[in-house]
Amino acid sequence: ALTHAGSYQKNQNTILNAFCDIDKLKLEKYGKKYNIDKLFKSTNEMFDNSELDLISICTRTNSHLKLVEKISKTNIKGIFLEKPISDNINDAKKIIKICKSKNIQLIIDHQRRFDPFFHELKKIIQIGKIGNIQLVNIFYGAGIANTGTHVFDLLRYLFGDAKYLKGHFSNNKSPNSLDPNIDVEIEFKQKIIVKMSAVNVSNYGILEMDILGMKGRIKINLTTNETSFYKISKKGLVYKQLEEIKIKFKASKYSPIMLGLQNLVDCVEKKEKPLCSGEDGLKSLELTIASIISAKNKKTISFPLKNNNFKIKSR
């Protein structure tokens, strides 16, 4: 399953119970697809006529806070919230505060957090299999908010919190004029430098990460998880060369979104920790906002971000 609805339907611990959408045609279409007869055009109607434990919010980011406020008045125990957590920092902090005060488990759907592939990748980096990190290069497209938030969350997962960021608007345009492509350089507190370069994805998509260590190199297709691993070879006339070696990553039989839902179930039933918390979602949003502010003002931005009122535009 690659969708929220499909994940609830396939999970042995959950029953897909109801849909809510303001678009009647979509509501009826997916009601038939998933054989759901509880179809609602308003959240108030759904909450009044359904007994729910978990809920997914897959609406636009500027609606997230109001929906969480409504949910906090129900008996719902867990929220699976689409990324970005919100369109501004103030609302994101309110979402986190509400969920904590009402003991509602909150998970943000940055899906690579749930994927065992990236858990293994993190271990490879931490044990020094490619040595100290020299530089990380990333190619992405389709907007700093739409795609960049995923990248920022993965970078924080692998390398910790950022120290500073500087960005400028890319010459390679985003398909969404409200969500620009921005070339970004980030220094993390571990003194790792990451450079994100935006590409125009109108003809083909690309989302790649290239990690260069002192002892080797890892290139990753972040869409397919195809990975090339290189180590130092004894060959070479002046400088040593890198040669590719085979390395196997364990593949999960479940999709990342299914693993994310199971994590939410475990947080509610077993008091486990969320793999992508509200705080993680907030810091990813913070990096996104900092990129836009830096590009607009042509200044380097330090963290934590001071501007809490800036709003991003995301699908």
Side-chain angles (χ1 to χ4, degrees):
L2 300 176
T3 63
H4 285 261
S7 298
Y8 283 102
Q9 194 170 65
K10 289 182 177 293
N11 190 298
Q12 294 181 350
N13 302 299
T14 61
I15 298 171
L16 185 60
N17 187 279
F19 285 152
C20 182
D21 200 305
I22 58 174
D23 188 321
K24 184 179 178 181
L25 293 178
K26 286 183 179 179
L27 196 59
E28 292 176 349
K29 175 182 177 181
Y30 289 99
K32 289 179 181 178
K33 179 177 180 178
Y34 290 99
N35 196 27
I36 300 299
D37 55 9
K38 290 186 177 181
L39 306 175
F40 304 101
K41 290 192 68 178
S42 80
T43 51
N44 289 339
E45 185 183 6
M46 180 175 69
F47 295 147
D48 288 342
N49 294 278
S50 304
E51 292 184 7
L52 306 172
D53 295 309
L54 307 177
I55 191 166
S56 281
I57 299 177
C58 309
T59 55
R60 293 186 181 272
T61 51
N62 59 5
S63 68
H64 288 181
L65 175 59
K66 288 184 178 180
L67 288 170
V68 171
E69 287 174 337
K70 286 187 178 182
I71 290 166
S72 70
K73 299 173 184 177
T74 71
N75 293 320
I76 288 174
K77 302 178 182 72
I79 300 173
F80 201 0
L81 181 59
E82 263 306 324
K83 62 86 192 174
I85 182 174
S86 181
D87 65 346
N88 68 89
I89 290 173
N90 279 337
D91 282 7
K93 288 181 176 179
K94 289 177 183 177
I95 288 170
I96 294 168
K97 185 177 180 180
I98 289 170
C99 289
K100 284 186 176 179
S101 67
K102 297 293 184 177
N103 197 28
I104 298 171
Q105 297 295 328
L106 173 65
I107 286 183
I108 311 302
D109 189 25
H110 288 292
Q111 292 187 21
R112 290 172 181 84
R113 291 262 181 173
F114 315 127
D115 193 334
F117 170 87
F118 291 100
H119 301 172
E120 196 167 349
L121 175 64
K122 185 173 182 177
K123 288 180 183 177
I124 286 174
I125 294 170
Q126 287 180 331
I127 65 176
K129 200 159 187 176
I130 60 171
N132 292 332
I133 306 300
Q134 300 186 73
L135 181 67
V136 180
N137 287 316
I138 292 173
F139 298 101
Y140 84 101
I144 194 69
N146 180 51
T147 305
T149 47
H150 277 303
V151 175
F152 290 139
D153 184 72
L154 177 59
L155 289 173
R156 283 196 61 255
Y157 175 68
L158 295 177
F159 307 124
D161 287 330
K163 183 178 179 182
Y164 80 81
L165 174 154
K166 52 185 176 182
H168 65 268
F169 293 111
S170 174
N171 292 327
N172 301 314
K173 301 301 181 183
S174 165
N176 181 359
S177 61
L178 298 177
D179 182 14
N181 278 346
I182 297 176
D183 296 328
V184 181
E185 180 178 310
I186 312 168
E187 180 177 332
F188 287 81
K189 290 181 179 179
Q190 296 184 24
K191 297 185 178 179
I192 295 171
I193 301 292
V194 175
K195 294 184 179 180
M196 293 172 54
S197 300
V199 297
N200 187 321
V201 296
S202 58
N203 291 317
Y204 61 90
I206 183 169
L207 186 58
E208 293 181 354
M209 175 184 286
D210 192 355
I211 307 172
L212 286 82
M214 294 296 290
K215 297 179 181 179
R217 177 183 187 183
I218 303 175
K219 293 178 69 176
I220 310 149
N221 182 322
L222 295 177
T223 302
T224 64
N225 290 0
E226 293 177 4
T227 306
S228 300
F229 187 90
Y230 302 85
K231 71 172 185 178
I232 296 173
S233 169
K234 294 180 181 179
K235 300 174 184 178
L237 297 175
V238 180
Y239 297 104
K240 293 179 181 178
Q241 304 294 311
L242 290 174
E243 63 178 355
E244 187 172 0
I245 63 171
K246 298 295 182 181
I247 183 169
K248 288 186 177 181
F249 288 86
K250 295 178 182 177
S252 173
K253 63 180 180 179
Y254 301 108
S255 65
I257 195 168
M258 288 186 70
L259 294 171
L261 174 60
Q262 185 57 48
N263 180 223
L264 180 59
V265 171
D266 291 340
C267 288
V268 170
E269 292 189 341
K270 302 177 183 178
K271 306 302 179 184
E272 290 192 6
K273 291 184 178 180
L275 293 174
C276 190
S277 67
E279 287 80 2
D280 291 320
L282 170 62
K283 290 193 175 184
S284 175
L285 173 64
E286 192 177 43
L287 284 161
T288 306
I289 291 174
S291 300
I292 301 171
I293 293 174
S294 177
K296 284 187 173 183
N297 298 337
K298 299 180 179 180
K299 291 182 179 180
T300 299
I301 305 295
S302 299
F303 296 97
L305 198 61
K306 295 179 181 178
N307 187 332
N308 290 342
N309 298 313
F310 190 91
K311 292 187 177 184
I312 62 169
K313 303 291 183 181
S314 179
R315 288 183 289 183

